[in-house]
Amino acid sequence: MSLSLEFCGEWFSVDPNEAFIIGREGPLRIEDNPYLHRRFLAISCADGLWWMENVGSRLSATVADSEGATQAYLQPGARLPLVYASTNIIFTAGPTTYEMQLLNDTPAYTPTGVTDSTDAGETTIGPIELTPSQLLLVLALAEPVLTGRGTTSSIPSSQVAAKRLGWPITRFNRKLDHVCERLTRYGVRGLHGGPEKLAVNRRARLVEHAVATRLVTSDDLFKLDDPSSYDDASV
């Protein structure tokens, strides 16, 4: 069985006989980010399956199949099997968001396709529906990640994203609250926490989830060229 990881155009082969560490130390070493754990994610082989474990103490990662049909929120101490042929990993450390891809030549599961439809001005992925203005908000936050797929990106502040849309910051924050509340009701984790976490971490988690599950894609970015044409008065 073979597992390969791609990051920023570079490929790494994962040895089934030893843990593959992602962090500031290890085979995939990201040394220039002090917010990243020395040992963050560990990939190993056991019982005929590949596994990923979050061995860090603060950061979490979003893990999804390449079609966005399923996704997991991997918190510190959590462990999950890597059962898909292609798996996307997205996580944020400090101001930087990272995206990686895993290719498994012996997947244990093949997902079905994602249902993606548009009706009456709403974008639907599974049970989650976004109004046009909510979609614009997510796009404004996810734009750097969507335009730089496979690289590292910085998620914009609320002020920068609001300016991108031509919205007052009060409207942006109100809609951000509603989007996070809606996704939380549908079982998306990591969008609420202590007051000190809300300003930065929920934006990062929202982008990670939206990109991993294809709630927004690069095909939607044209709407940011003329946001007023795709806006509405919905909350």
Side-chain angles (χ1 to χ4, degrees):
M1 54 194 302
S2 173
L3 187 72
S4 301
L5 183 148
E6 185 270 336
F7 174 59
C8 290
E10 184 175 0
W11 285 93
F12 301 81
S13 295
V14 181
D15 189 337
N17 298 311
E18 60 180 285
F20 183 93
I21 303 298
I22 299 171
R24 285 162 49 210
E25 297 177 352
L28 204 172
R29 185 178 295 110
I30 304 172
E31 298 177 308
D32 58 352
N33 190 340
Y35 297 96
L36 184 62
H37 297 303
R38 284 185 170 83
R39 294 168 57 89
F40 174 40
L41 300 175
I43 301 173
S44 59
C45 184
D47 303 321
L49 289 174
W50 291 101
W51 296 82
M52 176 177 288
E53 181 179 5
N54 186 337
V55 295
S57 60
R58 301 183 314 278
L59 304 178
S60 298
T62 297
V63 182
D65 70 277
S66 60
E67 297 300 321
T70 60
Q71 65 95 26
Y73 183 47
L74 194 65
Q75 296 179 300
R79 179 173 179 255
L80 58 78
L82 300 170
V83 298
Y84 298 116
S86 178
T87 302
N88 293 333
I89 307 166
I90 304 176
F91 60 88
T92 302
T96 307
T97 297
Y98 301 88
E99 186 174 8
M100 304 171 183
Q101 181 184 32
L102 286 168
L103 295 183
N104 186 352
D105 70 347
T106 54
Y109 180 74
T110 302
T112 58
V114 178
T115 300
D116 187 348
S117 63
T118 301
D119 182 31
E122 293 183 338
T123 298
T124 304
I125 305 293
I128 299 174
E129 298 178 349
L130 295 181
T131 66
S133 58
Q134 290 171 344
L135 179 63
L136 285 171
L137 180 145
V138 177
L139 280 172
L141 290 173
E143 183 179 20
V145 177
L146 292 173
T147 55
R149 294 301 300 266
T151 61
T152 60
S153 311
S154 295
I155 296 172
S157 66
S158 294
Q159 289 81 1
V160 169
K163 184 177 180 180
R164 179 78 168 92
L165 296 172
W167 294 358
I169 187 63
T170 51
R171 183 189 188 209
F172 184 93
N173 286 335
R174 184 178 69 252
K175 287 186 174 291
L176 178 59
D177 288 339
H178 281 274
V179 170
C180 290
E181 288 170 4
R182 170 173 283 191
L183 292 175
T184 298
R185 287 199 301 272
Y186 281 116
V188 179
R189 301 169 63 187
L191 292 173
H192 284 286
E196 74 282 357
K197 296 181 179 181
L198 290 179
V200 176
N201 289 9
R202 72 169 178 172
R203 290 200 313 274
R205 171 58 181 148
L206 175 59
V207 169
E208 290 173 10
H209 173 79
V211 172
T213 61
R214 300 178 63 82
L215 189 59
V216 293
T217 71
S218 58
D219 292 339
D220 300 311
L221 288 173
F222 73 93
K223 296 179 180 180
L224 294 177
D225 295 334
D226 186 13
S228 61
S229 296
Y230 303 94
D231 201 352
D232 65 358
S234 300
V235 174

